[in-house]
Amino acid sequence: MERFVLFPGRHHLLTRFQAEYLRGLGGTVVWAVTSANHQNTKRNPVAYDRREAAIERFSVQEGLRSLVVPVFDTAHTDRFAEVTLKSVESALGVRLAPGNTLVACSTPEVAALYEALGFEIAGVEADRDPAPARPWDVLLMLAAGDPAWRDLAHPATLDVYDRYRIGEQVALVVNDPVVGEEGGLTTTRDYRTYAEAFEASAARKWELVRRHVRPGRIVDVGCGAGAVLALADREPALRESDLIGVEVARHLYEECVHRKAQGWFSNPNVYFYCRNVLGGAVFPSRSVDTTLTFALTHEIWSYGHRLDSVRAFAAAIYEHTVPGGVWINSDVCGPDGRDRRVRLALQGAAAPAPPLDGLTRDEIAALVEALPVRARLDRFAADFHFPVPFTDHGSSVELALGDAMEFLTHKDYPDNWLSEAHEQFCGLEFADWKALLTDVGFEVDGASHAWRNDWIVDNRIAPGAELSTLDGAPLDWPVTHVLLVARRPLNT
């Protein structure tokens, strides 16, 4: 009867110690590579195909008979061991059982799940005293710039990492100050809601920018689920162009890849990358004809270092733009004169805003939904990640015009309340944008302008709110959005 060693784990990095240990166990090693559908996240920085390549090379070099099985990520479950065993049986047609299989696992919580099913456990690093460095510890050494990681990693890992420059990517992802463990900006965001919103607005966004698009290499940074690129794909004038989407959120990136596989795009030159643009250059210098960004720059401002991050991003766009190329940016923006003091009359009464600790997203949404507009201001001031100082005058509040618009443009997002609380919409006004782009080296096209979304004013901002000067004179609602068409001069 064939004997097996089940070796479950993420296996992002293989060590010399693992080689020594597995050689001593004998039998066919079944590598159950967990989170196989994840990559480019802090928890899973290396793609499954690269992990598999290193395992196969490791096995040949060490004379091990190995079978490699991908196990897709699942929600936390006490049946993780059963899920892994079924994945192995489905992929290999082999049923692993206590009578024919030893489980090699150094994580006590995971080992206990297999032990409860009757499997004998080999503790790998946990069997040694003192315990050698675990693979994840070695990977963190790499990310920290400690060259000693190479002495601990197996030559198979070193070979694959060096050939595919995986070490650089691991360090970038693990050290990313913005992106979370699962590859998104925030754990409180409902990406299904966001994807639906992107879909609904894609046609409007494309119509806004299509006449400014220069054919060639067209990049949509923060492409969501790829809806705008799908519209670009239908343009006869762009049929010879490369269409490239860059998305930091793993959930949305995976939807882009899925849609491409399902035939959403007729252009064969459509590509997607899961990258954080704040981490550094994504494209070579002078290689992109058109860069599109929709509702992205306020996130760079909010999750990065405000003006410094936006300036660095604009400089990176300038660097990868060909002379004569264009960056088209559509986003929210602050009102002109955003520091001006105004009065804001709001429907309802003030209310205390206790901490939201322990509440689910749905519970928070229901709580916010039930609040009148004035009480939502108190809730917003407590939860927003940027100061919103105001003075209460009973029937109205006094505050800066930018802060007033900040609240009014956020207050109707109860479903993603805490996620939206991370994002500042009014950090830059139109004049700030023009100065920044010019300073970086762009020429600001005359088509650039700030504008007011009247649907948002009529349906979101105006109901329950009135804006006036400090002495009570009514004020028109200010601009809410900006379209920026920035060109790199031909002679640069």
Side-chain angles (χ1 to χ4, degrees), residues 4 30 41 65 68 80 99 120 130 134 161 191 201 206 228 236 245 252 254 280 284 312 338 375 385 388 441 465 476:
F4 297 96
V30 179
T41 69
R65 185 173 189 271
V68 188
F80 171 78
E120 181 184 353
R134 297 170 187 254
Y161 271 45
Y191 284 101
S201 62
W206 180 243
V228 169
L252 299 176
E254 289 175 353
R338 65 185 184 280
H385 284 229
V388 186
D476 286 339

Side-chain angles (χ1 to χ4, degrees), residues 95-335:
R95 186 171 184 273
L96 304 183
N100 67 1
T101 301
L102 171 71
V103 175
C105 180
S106 64
T107 306
E109 298 82 2
V110 176
L113 298 176
Y114 289 98
E115 200 167 23
L117 298 177
F119 287 90
E120 181 184 353
I121 306 299
V124 199
E125 292 87 4
D127 275 352
R128 298 289 191 268
D129 187 19
R134 297 170 187 254
W136 188 253
D137 297 328
V138 179
L139 185 140
L140 292 180
M141 291 170 63
L142 181 166
D146 184 347
W149 80 273
R150 298 186 69 91
D151 298 327
L152 300 172
H154 190 272
T157 283
L158 296 176
D159 175 68
V160 173
Y161 271 45
D162 290 345
R163 281 190 290 131
Y164 291 99
R165 301 176 66 178
I166 293 173
E168 297 173 23
Q169 180 63 19
V170 166
L172 184 67
V173 172
V174 171
N175 295 320
D176 195 311
V178 176
V179 180
E181 288 194 354
E182 297 304 324
L185 293 173
T186 167
T187 58
T188 59
R189 174 168 290 180
D190 179 352
Y191 284 101
R192 177 186 57 80
T193 302
Y194 270 72
E196 291 172 354
F198 292 156
E199 298 299 312
S201 62
R204 174 181 56 79
K205 291 175 178 175
W206 180 243
E207 192 57 35
L208 181 69
V209 305
R210 61 190 294 270
R211 67 188 179 92
H212 304 295
V213 172
R214 168 175 162 150
R217 205 173 194 207
I218 301 169
V219 176
D220 184 356
V221 181
C223 66
V228 169
L229 284 181
L231 295 173
D233 177 64
R234 300 173 193 169
E235 291 283 341
L238 303 179
R239 64 183 181 276
E240 299 296 329
S241 295
D242 290 351
L243 305 179
I244 302 167
V246 180
E247 177 54 55
V248 65
R250 176 180 53 80
H251 312 70
L252 299 176
Y253 164 75
E254 289 175 353
E255 181 60 21
C256 290
V257 174
H258 172 72
R259 287 178 168 182
K260 180 180 177 182
Q262 294 299 309
W264 260 53
F265 301 92
S266 59
N267 186 334
N269 297 311
V270 176
Y271 309 96
F272 292 101
Y273 298 94
C274 188
R275 296 285 188 275
N276 173 21
V277 293
L278 293 182
V282 176
F283 299 99
S285 177
R286 302 185 179 204
S287 67
V288 175
D289 294 276
T290 299
T291 302
L292 303 173
T293 52
F294 299 97
L296 175 70
T297 48
H298 78 273
E299 293 192 340
I300 293 172
W301 169 281
S302 302
Y303 291 98
H305 300 288
R306 302 195 189 184
L307 185 59
D308 288 345
S309 292
V310 174
R311 182 182 298 277
F313 177 68
I317 298 293
Y318 179 87
E319 180 62 26
H320 79 213
T321 301
V322 301
V326 62
W327 173 24
I328 308 167
N329 179 29
S330 173
D331 205 350
V332 291
C333 77

Side-chain angles (χ1 to χ4, degrees), residues 351-365:
L356 299 177
D357 300 343
L359 297 184
T360 66
R361 183 190 290 125
D362 289 343
E363 289 169 338
I364 293 171

Side-chain angles (χ1 to χ4, degrees), residues 292-452:
L292 303 173
T293 52
F294 299 97
L296 175 70
T297 48
H298 78 273
E299 293 192 340
I300 293 172
W301 169 281
S302 302
Y303 291 98
H305 300 288
R306 302 195 189 184
L307 185 59
D308 288 345
S309 292
V310 174
R311 182 182 298 277
F313 177 68
I317 298 293
Y318 179 87
E319 180 62 26
H320 79 213
T321 301
V322 301
V326 62
W327 173 24
I328 308 167
N329 179 29
S330 173
D331 205 350
V332 291
C333 77
D336 296 336
R338 65 185 184 280
D339 295 328
R340 175 186 178 188
R341 304 296 291 179
V342 296
R343 282 188 184 266
L344 186 63
L346 299 172
Q347 186 181 67
L356 299 177
D357 300 343
L359 297 184
T360 66
R361 183 190 290 125
D362 289 343
E363 289 169 338
I364 293 171
L367 184 154
V368 174
E369 190 73 54
L371 294 174
V373 181
R374 175 62 186 84
R376 284 197 199 187
L377 175 61
D378 296 311
R379 181 76 267 165
F380 180 72
D383 300 330
F384 196 46
H385 284 229
F386 303 84
V388 186
F390 63 87
T391 303
D392 196 334
H393 291 287
S395 60
S396 66
V397 297
E398 178 187 330
L399 72 176
L401 177 59
D403 291 337
M405 293 304 293
E406 204 74 67
F407 165 64
L408 293 170
T409 52
H410 277 83
K411 69 180 178 63
D412 292 296
Y413 291 102
D415 289 345
N416 283 291
W417 184 256
L418 292 184
S419 174
E420 293 294 338
H422 284 82
E423 299 186 12
Q424 189 172 30
F425 295 169
C426 301
L428 294 172
E429 58 187 80
F430 185 47
D432 299 326
W433 268 114
K434 289 193 292 184
L436 185 155
L437 292 172
T438 301
D439 187 52
V440 166
F442 282 108
E443 293 177 346
V444 181
D445 191 284
S448 302
H449 65 283
W451 59 284
R452 188 178 74 185

Side-chain angles (χ1 to χ4, degrees), residues 467-475:
L467 186 67
S468 64
T469 65
L470 293 182
D471 33 357
L475 287 174

